[in-house]
Amino acid sequence: MLTCQTILIFLAMSLPFIACSSKSCVMDILDDFEQMKVDVARSKAVKPAFFAALTPHFTLTEINAVLKFDDVKVNRGEAYDPSTGVFTARVPGLYHFSCMILANHRAVVHYQLNKNDQPYILGYSHKGLAADSSTISAVMELAVGDRVFVKHRHTRASEVVFGAAHTSFSGYFIHEITP
């Protein structure tokens, strides 16, 4: 038994073919249908998002030391690699990243959020009476293959980042950018 909704869908899909007799017109309709299928698949694709914390205390001893946030709580799209501490974009678009660093007791930590090999935003956890934290966040436009990570930016001394899940790094996809 046909429902009203089924009949309306059939008519909506058939009318362009009835009104369109040329081969190019039919091809245009088929192209539009294929594009609709691509758009639907894209809207269902996994949107990258991750959240990872640092469990051990981590001593930053050199300028190129990348923080490796090992306790991954969320990693949709598997774009964050805890063994390297690097997020690699697999979908072009706008992303939001955030990093909270807790300096170990009465210490200072100089750090930065990098996009590829360039500093994007700088962070600094101040030397307080006890432990002190700071948070940096940024919106970035990324292409496929761009890398985002947190690294040490101070060369004069080693600095200790407090672990025990007090330090974290996260990022998520906001919106796709079409070329």
Side-chain angles (χ1 to χ4, degrees), residues 11-161:
L11 286 174
M13 292 179 71
S14 300
L15 283 177
F17 290 109
I18 295 168
C20 182
S21 59
S22 72
K23 183 177 180 180
S24 66
C25 183
V26 171
M27 294 306 290
D28 288 344
I29 292 169
L30 290 174
D31 287 344
D32 289 345
F33 181 68
E34 287 301 315
Q35 184 59 48
M36 286 180 359
K37 288 188 340 188
V38 167
D39 292 344
V40 167
R42 187 177 288 155
S43 71
K44 291 180 180 180
V46 172
K47 307 296 188 232
F50 76 96
F51 177 85
L54 186 67
T55 51
H57 298 330
F58 193 88
T59 301
L60 300 166
T61 57
E62 57 185 68
I63 189 90
N64 292 322
V66 174
L67 278 143
K68 297 172 185 158
F69 298 85
D70 59 314
D71 187 13
V72 180
K73 306 284 188 187
V74 174
N75 198 4
R76 292 194 58 184
E78 303 298 318
Y80 176 73
D81 182 353
S83 68
T84 63
V86 177
F87 172 88
T88 304
R90 296 183 180 159
V91 177
L94 291 176
Y95 289 80
H96 178 266
F97 293 94
S98 181
C99 176
M100 197 281 294
I101 300 285
L102 181 64
N104 205 5
H105 303 284
R106 297 186 183 169
V108 173
V109 176
H110 298 79
Y111 62 101
Q112 65 192 44
L113 185 64
N114 265 42
K115 177 181 174 184
N116 298 317
D117 292 323
Q118 298 298 313
Y120 198 81
I121 188 169
L122 304 178
Y124 174 76
S125 288
H126 182 355
K127 187 178 198 175
L129 293 176
D132 198 14
S133 68
S134 71
T135 301
I136 57 175
S137 63
V139 173
M140 292 185 192
E141 188 173 321
L142 301 180
V144 172
D146 280 344
R147 300 171 310 116
V148 178
F149 52 93
V150 179
K151 71 176 235 172
H152 192 216
R153 69 175 177 90
H154 197 277
T155 59
R156 289 186 226 138
S158 62
E159 298 173 335
V160 179
V161 176

